[in-house]
Every structure is written in C-alpha cells, then in structure tokens.
Amino acid sequence: MSIIKKINAALKSRDISCAELVGKYLDAIEQNQDLNAYITVTAEQAKAAADATDKRIAAGEDISLLDGVPMSIKDNITTKGIQTTCASRILEGHVPIYDAFVWRRLKEKGAVLLGKTNLDEFGMGSGTENSCFGPTLNPHNKAHVPGGSSGGAAAAVAAGLCAYGLGTDTGGSIRQPASFCGIVGIKPTYGAVSRFGAIAYASSFDQIGVLAPSAEDAAVVFDTISAYDEADSTCVEPGLRGGRAVKIDAEIKGRRIALIKECFNGLPEDISSAVMSAAKDYEKLGAEIIEVSVPGMTYALPVYYILACAEASSNLGRYDGIRYGHRTDSYLNINDMIMKTRTEGFGDEVKRRIMLGTYVLSSGYYDAYYKKAQNLRAEITDEFKKIFEAADVVLAPTAPSTAMKIGSRDDDPVKAYLGDILTVPVNVCGLPAINLPCGADARGLPIGMQLIGDKFCESLLFNMAHVFETACPQYSKRLHMGVEL
Ligand code: GLN
C-alpha cells in the first residue's frame, strides 16, 4: 500500500494527529542527521501546516490525499521565504520571494514541507558529493553515495525521513539516485511539469519529478504537479498532450516491452541479470518482450554533455553578486567584483562545466560541437520515436553500476560522466521514464531498472511499475530507520 494512502487513512481515522506525525518525522530527521539528506529543516513551518491539517480534520472536512503528508523539496526549487541554495556557496543565504509552481500546487493541497534536500551543486553530478554542504550518505550503506544529483531526496525517502520528495532530472538526477537508494523516481515528459521556480541548469533538459517509495505515491503527486502553467512557455496545454490515461491497476497483458540491445553492452553481470529476470517477470504477467536497436544511443552521452554545459554556461551567467547571493568582500572595480564573486562562489565541477560550455559555443567550435550535437539530438529522438511504433514501453537498466563508494570518482570527472550513459538518452529526447527497484548486488546495494514511455504516457509507466511492484514485492527492500506506519 502506498505511504500517502496509509497516512491519509491514519489521519482520517484519527489514529494519529498530523502534529504527532510531523513530530515523528522531525525526530527521525534529527536522529539521522549523519545522512546529511537535508540542507534546511523547516520545522516551524511544518508544525504550522500540520496544525492547519488537524483543524480541517477536526472541522469534519474531507481532506485530500496529500493533505498533511510530510514531504521534502530539492534545494534547487524555489520556496518563498525559505533559503534556497542549489548547494552552492554563490546562493548561500538566498531567500526567494516566490514559490515554484509545483510547491504552490502542493501547498494548496495541504502538503507539509519538512525541509530542503541536498544535491550536487546546481544539479551537476551523480553522487551528491559536489555540494558545498558536504556529501549525503546512502542509507543502505553509509560508505556509499546515494546517487545524484537528487541524492538528498532519495536518501530521505529511502530512510523514511519524508513520505516523498520533489527532485529534478536533467540527465538522470531523479532516476539514478532512486536506483541507488532502492525507491521509485519519475522523470516526466519535457513539458509535463512547469519549470517555474526550478533554478535552471540546462533549460532544454530540466524537468521536475517525484521520488517516492512506490509508483502509486509518485502517481498521486505527479497528478497534482503536472497541471498546466502559463508561466512556463514549454509547459504543454492538456489538450495538446495526447497520451491515453491508463488506470494504475489495469491489466498489462499484451503490452509490448522493448529491450534496447545497446543498453546491455558492457553492463556488469549482476545488473543485466536483474533486469533480464524482471523482463521474465513481466512476461509471466502477460507482457510481450521484443528486442530493438538504437544505434544513436552511444552518441547520447556526448550530445548531452555538450548541450547541457552550453546551456549551463549561459544560465549561470546571472550569478554576478549584484542582485542576490554571495558577493566578494573587497574588489577594485565591477569586473573584479564579478570575477572574485564567481571564483569564490562556484565549486570546481560547476566551473569546469561553465568552461566546457563556453568552449563549445565559441565561434571557432560552434559548428563542430554545439551544432553537431543539436543535429544528433534530433536523430536520436527519431530513433526512439520509431520504437514506440512497435512497443508500448522500453525496459532498460537505470545505471551501469550500483552506488559507488564516497570519494571514488573524485579524480576522474569523465568516469563520473560515463555513469550517466543510460539515463541521458531520455532527457535528450524529452521522454518520460520511471525507475523502480529490481534487485540488489552482492553487498546488498539496490539495483534499479527504468521503464521509458512515449511522450505524455506517464500513466502507462505508473501502471506498468505498479503491477510489477505488486507482483514482485521482494525487490523493494524496506529500511527501518525513519517513520514507520
Ligand atoms: N549527472 C548528470 C549531470 O551531472 C545529470 C544531472 C541532473 O540530472 N541534474 O549532468
């Protein structure tokens, strides 16, 4: 059963008050501070929101599913009056004057914000190690990373330090940490969720999504945050989204699942056999497995890193110390002030990407890198489009490894980039994808798989994930660290 439904039932039957529930979550966060999942804990706001829910219940109101449910928000999504840092020194102490669209929607439903979760600086990384607040630890094994960049959210959900978390996925930052922490994570179609208030990393890839213990939980939150918002010009109007609504518990008999050959090249044995055995489980549930090839798959990684860095170099130009965030103490003139502010404010990985992005956009190299990458992006998108003429969804491993040891990739950024090889194609094509657990490695660290759908087919992904979770509950390994219901 979904945790959101459990909480809703407990609140409605008055087994527990919302104030008590929130108190338990705040205690659990306190007791598990070593995980470093949260950058900011919003205890006072959470208690006030809980009291409001309790008043509604006492007044006999029929509360909605999300009312009173304690949740978290990745610290690159703006929250009015609450510090939002992107885990960067350049934004330390920055307090936004407006709410992100997604948070406004959830707040209207009575959601209780417990705090803002840790991430790789501006979402740049895959281990939540590039944070100016220090790394987040994996609750399954504290010597390992939780994945990233939404590692704080993934660790918090897996450890029971919130019911669900909002994250962002530019190149895998929801699915990969969900995979490393053994939970569900949905990266929606580009244009399904408003990016208003999502602090930009690479605008043509960024998308807000949900990390949760189950597909059912993720689906409830997605339904609320995917409303149309005219403030984001890339948010698609409901009438133009297409995609058929599928019930979460619908039969999956006859659904065609494609396995992409290229995704299994060089994959560690334990990961490929976990995904293949999940494919067999799907067959037993009545689905049909077909094999397809996406030759462009191998280009998705360089395409992503060229375009994402190019967009980042432009987006991060706004941090100049003039309007908000950090400003250097002493300077000679305005140029010196901007230079010193950026030198002090940005971490190494962010600086590397600004330089890479500026390089690929510079006049002598624009055609060779940026333009070529744009052309390839269109080709890979076409290749995926063809798959969905033959199959309903794609099943693939989420990452080519399980959670690595903290610090193991410090000296080799390229090795870290290569770890994104299986998640970035989805962002390059703007498709939706969901991670769900499908096993564990010899050390007990979770293995994840992703289901990739055609544009705006999120409800089918939730359905395919939910049916699998229900039939094979052994893969979702529960940790007993945080709040139990
Ligand atoms: N790991 C990828 C990167 O560093 C993806 C990050 C993300 O999705 N925000 O760019």
Side-chain angles (χ1 to χ4, degrees):
M1 191 181 178
S2 95
I3 187 153
I4 292 175
K5 282 193 176 160
K6 265 191 193 168
I7 291 176
N8 183 256
L11 291 175
K12 275 187 168 165
S13 63
R14 306 195 189 190
D15 280 349
I16 190 168
S17 73
C18 192
E20 275 175 84
L21 179 71
V22 166
K24 281 188 181 207
Y25 272 102
L26 292 171
D27 287 348
I29 293 171
E30 177 101 26
Q31 279 152 20
N32 290 283
Q33 257 178 20
D34 61 330
L35 290 177
N36 202 21
Y38 284 87
I39 291 176
T40 306
V41 178
T42 50
E44 292 319 308
Q45 285 100 328
K47 285 177 193 159
D51 288 344
T53 298
D54 283 333
K55 278 205 188 100
R56 284 191 284 275
I57 294 170
E61 272 185 47
D62 188 18
I63 59 164
S64 81
L65 264 181
L66 294 171
D67 201 337
V69 178
M71 45 77 73
S72 66
I73 299 183
K74 186 178 179 182
D75 209 24
N76 62 349
I77 299 175
T78 61
T79 42
K80 186 174 170 181
I82 301 165
Q83 156 173 281
T84 300
T85 66
C86 290
S88 180
R89 223 160 257 136
I90 209 145
L91 276 176
E92 225 172 337
H94 168 61
V95 179
I97 53 168
Y98 64 95
D99 279 327
F101 175 79
V102 288
W103 173 223
R104 209 162 67 217
R105 289 278 301 169
L106 290 167
K107 218 177 351 182
E108 280 162 14
K109 298 259 177 183
V112 177
L113 177 66
L114 294 168
K116 307 290 298 283
T117 51
N118 204 2
L119 67 152
D120 287 294
E121 188 174 357
F122 284 101
M124 298 177 187
S126 319
T128 316
E129 293 178 282
N130 305 334
S131 162
C132 76
F133 299 100
T136 295
L137 316 185
N138 189 319
H140 290 268
N141 182 332
K142 292 178 186 171
H144 292 252
V145 300
S149 62
S150 313
V157 170
L161 310 184
C162 61
Y164 67 90
L166 293 183
T168 58
D169 191 314
T170 303
S173 279
I174 288 176
R175 288 160 290 148
Q176 184 256 26
S179 153
F180 283 11
C181 289
I183 58 167
V184 168
I186 174 92
K187 181 260 164 202
T189 311
Y190 187 80
V193 177
S194 169
R195 290 175 301 115
F196 181 80
I199 298 180
Y201 157 17
S203 310
S204 77
F205 300 89
D206 297 339
Q207 197 62 192
I208 296 174
V210 191
L211 298 102
S214 73
E216 237 184 324
D217 291 310
V220 173
V221 181
F222 172 78
D223 284 347
T224 297
I225 63 172
S226 58
Y228 175 65
D229 176 22
E230 60 180 18
D232 174 1
S233 61
T234 61
C235 189
V236 177
E237 281 178 49
L240 301 174
R241 292 187 184 192
R244 293 145 289 126
V246 180
K247 280 208 165 134
I248 194 146
D249 53 1
E251 256 208 59
I252 63 160
K253 211 166 167 187
R255 288 285 182 204
R256 258 187 286 171
I257 301 177
L259 296 175
I260 300 178
K261 225 168 55 187
E262 289 80 1
C263 288
F264 292 85
N265 289 345
L267 201 66
E269 197 339 86
D270 50 355
I271 298 180
S272 66
S273 64
V275 177
M276 291 313 289
S277 105
K280 294 225 169 66
D281 290 331
Y282 268 118
E283 257 179 339
K284 282 185 213 139
L285 291 164
E288 189 190 322
I289 306 288
I290 58 171
E291 195 182 280
V292 295
S293 171
V294 181
M297 193 73 194
T298 40
Y299 296 111
L301 193 75
V303 163
Y304 169 78
Y305 270 97
I306 289 170
L307 297 178
C309 289
E311 294 181 23
S313 76
S314 162
N315 274 325
L316 271 57
R318 75 191 63 175
Y319 303 103
D320 51 16
I322 294 173
R323 284 156 296 184
Y324 38 67
H326 174 74
R327 182 187 298 168
T328 191
D329 288 337
S330 69
Y331 45 87
L332 300 171
N333 53 38
I334 179 130
N335 281 342
D336 190 46
M337 190 277 278
I338 293 173
M339 194 183 74
K340 280 192 182 142
T341 295
R342 288 168 68 83
T343 303
E344 292 163 11
F346 290 133
D348 288 348
E349 184 57 33
V350 173
K351 285 178 186 156
R352 180 179 295 125
R353 296 198 191 193
I354 292 173
M355 287 190 279
L356 283 170
T358 308
Y359 177 79
V360 298
L361 288 173
S362 57
S363 64
Y365 299 98
Y366 181 90
D367 284 357
Y369 295 108
Y370 186 79
K371 202 167 156 211
K372 207 169 179 181
Q374 288 288 28
N375 291 341
L376 275 165
R377 183 178 197 175
E379 274 185 38
I380 303 166
T381 305
D382 274 351
E383 285 182 13
F384 265 95
K385 212 172 185 176
K386 288 202 188 90
I387 293 182
F388 294 113
E389 286 163 15
D392 295 295
V393 295
V394 168
L395 173 64
T398 302
S401 76
T402 50
M404 31 304 166
K405 276 233 163 85
I406 291 174
S408 60
R409 283 182 179 170
D410 279 357
D411 50 353
D412 192 350
V414 174
K415 210 160 140 197
Y417 299 170
L418 282 169
D420 298 334
I421 195 150
L422 296 166
T423 46
V424 295
V426 161
N427 306 77
V428 165
C429 304
L431 299 170
I434 190 167
N435 173 80
L436 61 160
C438 66
D441 70 7
R443 294 163 301 185
L445 290 166
I447 297 175
M449 62 179 178
Q450 53 180 338
L451 291 164
I452 306 169
D454 201 356
K455 288 193 175 166
F456 298 107
C457 286
E458 281 85 358
S459 66
L460 174 61
L461 295 183
F462 290 129
N463 165 232
M464 300 287 296
H466 174 72
V467 169
F468 180 85
E469 274 172 0
T470 314
C472 311
Q474 68 275 23
Y475 298 128
S476 309
K477 199 176 133 202
R478 297 265 303 116
L479 291 172
H480 301 281
M481 300 169 84
V483 176
E484 304 275 338
L485 280 170

